[in-house]
Amino acid sequence: MANVPVSSALGSFAVESALPVRAFFSWPGKRNYEGLWWSSTMRSHVGFESLLERDFLLGADHDRGIVAVSSQPFVFLWPRGTEGARWHVPDFFVRLRDGTGRVIDVKPAGRVRSAQHQFDLTRTGCVAAGWDYEVFTGLAERQAANLRWLAGYRQDRFAPDEATAAVLANSFAPGASLAAGVRRAARVLGTDSGIVHAQVLHLLFAGVLNVELDVPLSQDSAVCPASTPRAGVGREAGAWKAAS
């Protein structure tokens, strides 16, 4: 993509489909850990350059309000003479279910203050483009642990077909435990409970079924069908931490 002025016209660009503007290099002794996250949202791999960025992708993959995500898809080039900065590559861009866009920078909480000038410049650019802007500093510890476990079942091989998913959802009356719902569904389906259990965990990660993520996940955890697609990995519950 050629250089374009920052304006609301950027809203017509499918930034969520763009390739990274730079390669992710690794070398012996590098402190950061980079890799590829298989995104069940994108049906493809998305790159990350740190474990904190991987946690962002974990949360974004679970967030039903996010329909697409891209890694480092563009660079902000600041006007000549801008104090203390010449350019900045945001870490992620996400497309939200309502069609709007959001730019994400990922930074450990202890380093937010030192990068505040860069964040302010980026936020100004995002406002001009009509995008939201967020600084991600991590997931709440317990929610992160639960999501890491559930994410192991996000792959297609654990996904039930539509008819089976309906049975699974109907097996969880309000307040039913994970174990009780699995037993009920296994009886109705005539299927091994281990297979049903894996399918239920897939639906929990996908937000078709809901469970409290602020406490340790167990066989006694209460599970219920989601009345609407899950809006996020606990934005209202404080799962995301963002710099203002």
Side-chain angles (χ1 to χ4, degrees):
M1 180 186 296
N3 294 345
V4 295
V6 175
S7 72
S8 58
L10 289 175
S12 63
F13 288 92
V15 183
E16 65 275 16
S17 300
L19 296 175
V21 296
R22 63 184 182 184
F24 296 171
F25 294 106
S26 62
W27 55 86
K30 184 179 181 182
R31 293 191 300 172
N32 286 355
Y33 179 88
E34 66 281 319
L36 296 172
W37 171 266
W38 188 83
S39 168
S40 58
T41 301
M42 294 300 294
R43 321 302 304 166
S44 64
H45 287 95
V46 180
F48 61 86
E49 287 192 298
S50 70
L51 295 180
L52 187 59
E53 288 189 12
R54 187 187 65 180
D55 275 358
F56 169 77
L57 291 173
L58 166 69
D61 213 10
H62 175 71
D63 189 334
R64 296 306 93 191
I66 292 176
V67 298
V69 57
S70 57
S71 177
Q72 301 187 5
F74 65 88
V75 56
F76 275 123
L77 302 175
W78 307 124
R80 188 184 304 274
T82 298
E83 181 181 356
R86 296 178 59 186
W87 54 271
H88 174 55
V89 180
D91 294 307
F92 298 103
F93 179 90
V94 299
R95 183 67 63 187
L96 305 179
R97 189 170 296 278
D98 63 6
T100 59
R102 177 178 295 142
V103 173
I104 309 292
D105 272 321
V106 176
K107 188 71 69 175
R111 296 172 56 191
V112 168
R113 184 181 298 274
S114 63
Q116 193 60 57
H117 178 58
Q118 174 184 284
F119 294 156
D120 290 342
L121 288 171
T122 305
R123 180 175 288 105
T124 299
C126 289
V127 169
W131 296 326
D132 293 340
Y133 178 63
E134 185 173 319
V135 178
F136 175 85
T137 63
L139 294 168
E141 182 177 355
R142 175 48 55 188
Q143 290 183 329
N146 286 332
L147 283 177
R148 287 174 191 141
W149 170 254
L150 292 175
Y153 296 87
R154 71 189 186 281
Q155 292 89 351
D156 291 343
R157 64 179 178 271
F158 299 112
D161 59 36
E162 186 174 347
T164 300
V167 172
L168 296 178
N170 290 333
S171 297
F172 288 94
S177 70
L178 174 59
V182 167
R183 288 195 300 268
R184 185 177 299 124
R187 287 196 302 269
V188 173
L189 294 167
T191 303
D192 181 86
S193 62
I195 295 175
V196 173
H197 186 257
Q199 291 173 332
V200 168
L201 295 180
H202 176 90
L203 296 182
L204 285 171
F205 186 79
V208 177
L209 296 174
N210 279 347
V211 69
E212 178 57 59
L213 295 175
D214 290 327
V215 296
L217 188 61
S218 73
Q219 296 289 354
D220 296 324
S221 296
V223 175
C224 64
S227 57
T228 58
R230 190 176 181 85
V233 56
R235 279 188 182 273
E236 295 180 354
W240 296 94
K241 302 174 185 176
S244 59

